[in-house]
Amino acid sequence: MNLFDLYQPLAAQSGQVAGVPYLLQPNFPLLLANTAFGYSEGALKEIEDRFRMAGAPLAFTVPERFDASELLALGFQPSASFELCQPEPSVRAYWTEHVPWSEAWTIARILTEAYGAPEWRFPFSQAVGKLLQNPEASGFVAYLYGNAVGAVLTYRGAAILAGVVPQRQGNDVGAGLLGRIHPAPFVRLAGTEAEFPGRVQQRFVRYSRPGQ
């Protein structure tokens, strides 16, 4: 699974240096839209300069088994882990509806609340609206007692973002979202498996400098 291709539509800038692709999105703190994918010594300085110019902290996201010794020697530390997973069917899938791009604000509200960044709702909603006008993308919203409480975005056959508002977590909303997009794979932040259960297929680790 190529994470660069999956998250490129949500980035404001993208490029490649010495074979290392990167994404930049200074308008909201989406980790996989603010990172380089892979690492090479020859690309380091130029990528670092581009991140600095964009006002974004430098980060590299690599497969779990990647030899990160050079990154560690440069002061980078693991700061987040992501898991590409296979979802399971769910009887709660009926809670979830396929919504048009005009529901971008609803999806952005749910996901920014889920990720603890409501202040980024407006710029994120613009990116979501643009993404959902792409025929390869879809948005789904989960409802509980008539309220929109969960959302998932898919692109090119994979779920790239899923979230449940904090007050409704633990009610199988996440499982319902995944059941709706089953059997498409999904990407989750490590540690969220209780809300978003699935079989791990591949892991990725984000390296950044402490304090950034």
Side-chain angles (χ1 to χ4, degrees), residues 101-117:
W101 72 268
S102 57
E103 290 295 315
W105 178 259
T106 299
I107 293 173
R109 174 188 64 79
I110 292 168
L111 293 178
T112 53
E113 286 184 19
Y115 286 91

Side-chain angles (χ1 to χ4, degrees), residues 18-59:
V20 178
Y22 68 87
L23 299 176
L24 283 168
Q25 178 49 274
N27 294 323
F28 49 83
L30 179 60
L31 296 184
L32 286 173
N34 284 286
T35 184
F37 295 90
Y39 171 78
S40 100
E41 183 181 0
L44 177 61
K45 185 180 184 305
E46 180 65 23
I47 289 180
E48 188 166 24
D49 289 344
R50 295 186 187 189
F51 273 65
R52 184 183 301 110
M53 289 177 62
L58 181 60

Side-chain angles (χ1 to χ4, degrees), residues 83 85-88 178 186 188 193 196-201:
E83 297 169 335
C85 302
Q86 181 67 38
E88 301 292 338
L178 298 179
F186 69 98
R188 72 184 180 199
E193 58 272 11
F196 299 105
R199 185 174 68 257
V200 177
Q201 297 178 323

Side-chain angles (χ1 to χ4, degrees), residues 57-159:
L58 181 60
F60 295 91
T61 299
V62 297
E64 183 181 39
R65 296 188 180 183
F66 180 84
D67 181 1
S69 56
E70 290 187 45
L71 285 169
L72 295 171
L74 291 167
F76 288 86
Q77 296 292 327
S79 57
S81 295
F82 303 92
E83 297 169 335
L84 177 68
C85 302
Q86 181 67 38
E88 301 292 338
S90 172
V91 296
R92 308 297 187 194
Y94 72 91
W95 291 354
T96 303
E97 295 182 7
H98 185 199
V99 297
W101 72 268
S102 57
E103 290 295 315
W105 178 259
T106 299
I107 293 173
R109 174 188 64 79
I110 292 168
L111 293 178
T112 53
E113 286 184 19
Y115 286 91
E119 67 274 18
W120 301 99
R121 187 176 302 164
F122 180 70
F124 185 56
S125 69
Q126 292 180 310
V128 171
K130 182 178 179 181
L131 173 67
L132 290 180
Q133 293 179 68
N134 186 317
E136 294 186 280
S138 295
F140 301 87
V141 172
Y143 296 87
L144 192 61
Y145 306 118
N147 298 313
V149 297
V152 62
L153 288 173
T154 68
Y155 180 62
R156 293 188 174 178

